[in-house]
């Protein structure tokens, strides 16, 4: 239940994001649409569309779809004006370039959210900041809080919310186990990610860790779930590891819409950002590793530290992603599975209490109303 108090009048919000394909920002937007709609707001979404269109519409979004966001946004300007939006909310840098122009054309407030780090040189040439900038972690905030970035603008912190009705402990992954072909005995490691540059490096390190884990007595199976430009390289590496081990211990699963069941299949999940929260909400022992480095197993005691760097996706992680780090921490988790499961269930309780959809929507509601001078 994400319904909030609507003592204040409902708002009309236009979200702007280039794609609606599988990805962390897109997943967040679909959840945000549903959560804001449940609070009584009207939500539009200016986008080129993609795999998640149906999800966004089901959540309550009215799509304003264009072939090219950068080139064609003006073609839907009359329809946008008719919707009478109060605020345009753009997500990440490419979409912000359009979002700022749309807000000016509509004569309404403009807000930008940053989802991830950006090199300082690129920030220097960016000119489409909003008066107040939203970031999704302290790592993001620190990345833009300098004179060549957001400068003196106020920076608001928000967070990713997870749907505990979908991502929860106790899901039965029997169908996914059968489909994977790895239903025989042996601990399963599930890596869920977009396979792009530094995130793909996590998959390569996991593959290289399998032989060492086997030597230590842990004959692990590895499932790689996702898509992206680096997938061919991971497929080649996986085939080589399977030949080395003499049997199929690795499976490339591809992108999935039933990812919560694949996470539940894992004895250990390896994820970053949104996907790390999803895996933990399913009650799975989770190792955080991503494009900014290696964090390691997330426990109740270090959960907030991991969240502040978006589980090694936004801020500086404490270590490098290496096969030896995975080998050490996976072996430790498998050696004491009862303790690992107990910590995982405690993480799930933290997410359901503090990082579900209702508090996420309430937090964004406050930011919107501050922008509109209603609080």
């Amino acid at each position: 239940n994400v319904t909030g108090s609507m003592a204040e009048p409902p708002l009309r919000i236009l979200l702007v994001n280039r794609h609606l394909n599988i990805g962390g920002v897109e997943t967040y937007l679909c959840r945000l649409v549903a959560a804001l709609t449940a609070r009584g707001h009207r939500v539009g979404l200016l986008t080129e569309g993609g795999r998640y269109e149906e999800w966004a519409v089901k959540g309550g979004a009215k799509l304003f779809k264009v072939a090219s966001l950068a080139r064609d946004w003006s073609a839907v300007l009359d329809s946008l004006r008719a919707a009478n939006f109060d605020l345009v909310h753009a997500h990440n840098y490419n979409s912000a370039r359009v979002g700022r122009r749309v807000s000016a054309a509509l004569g309404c407030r403009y807000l930008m959210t940053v989802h991830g780090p950006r090199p300082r040189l690129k920030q220097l040439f960016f000119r489409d900041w909003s008066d107040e900038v939203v970031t999704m972690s302290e790592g993001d905030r620190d990345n833009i809080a300098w004179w060549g970035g957001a400068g003196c603008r106020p920076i608001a912190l928000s967070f990713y919310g997870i749907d505990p009705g979908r991502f929860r402990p106790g899901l039965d992954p029997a169908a996914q186990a059968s489909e994977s072909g790895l239903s025989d005995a042996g601990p399963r490691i599930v890596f869920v990610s977009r396979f792009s540059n530094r995130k793909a490096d996590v998959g390569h390190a996991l593959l290289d860790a399998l032989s060492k884990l086997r030597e230590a007595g842990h004959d692990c199976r590895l499932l790689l779930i996702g898509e992206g430009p680096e997938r061919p390289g991971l497929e080649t590496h996986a085939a080589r590891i399977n030949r080395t081990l003499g049997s199929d211990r690795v499976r490339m699963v591809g992108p999935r819409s039933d990812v919560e069941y694949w996470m539940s299949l894992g004895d250990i999940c390896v994820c970053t950002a949104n996907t790390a929260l999803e895996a933990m909400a399913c009650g799975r022992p989770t190792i955080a590793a991503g494009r900014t480095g290696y964090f390691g197993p997330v426990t109740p005691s270090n959960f907030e530290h991991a969240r502040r760097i978006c589980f090694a996706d936004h801020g500086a992680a404490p270590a490098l992603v290496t096969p030896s780090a995975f080998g050490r921490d996976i072996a430790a988790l498998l050696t004491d599975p009862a303790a690992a499961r107990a910590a995982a269930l405690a993480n799930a309780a933290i997410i359901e209490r503090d990082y579900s959809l209702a508090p996420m929507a309430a937090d964004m509601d406050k930011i919107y109303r501050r922008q509109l001078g209603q609080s």
Side-chain angles (χ1 to χ4, degrees), residues 218-234:
H218 302 290
D219 189 15
C220 297
R221 282 75 172 143
L222 175 61
L223 296 159
L224 293 93
I225 300 169
E227 63 179 353
E230 302 300 320
R231 179 173 176 172
L234 286 168

Side-chain angles (χ1 to χ4, degrees), residues 119-139:
R120 284 195 163 190
L121 182 59
K122 289 187 176 181
Q123 290 183 45
L124 273 172
F125 292 97
F126 183 72
R127 294 291 180 269
D128 297 303
W129 304 103
S130 50
D131 292 338
E132 178 179 18
V133 183
V134 180
T135 61
M136 303 305 292
S137 69
E138 287 84 345

Side-chain angles (χ1 to χ4, degrees), residues 151-196:
C152 296
R153 296 172 179 84
I155 300 173
L157 273 172
S158 192
F159 56 88
Y160 295 119
I162 300 299
D163 180 359
R166 178 183 173 190
F167 296 92
R168 65 184 190 278
L171 297 173
D172 181 7
Q176 287 71 26
S178 176
E179 180 184 342
S180 73
L182 299 179
S183 55
D184 57 335
R188 290 183 287 258
I189 304 165
V190 174
F191 172 53
V192 185
S193 179
R194 174 164 169 75
F195 302 146
S196 58

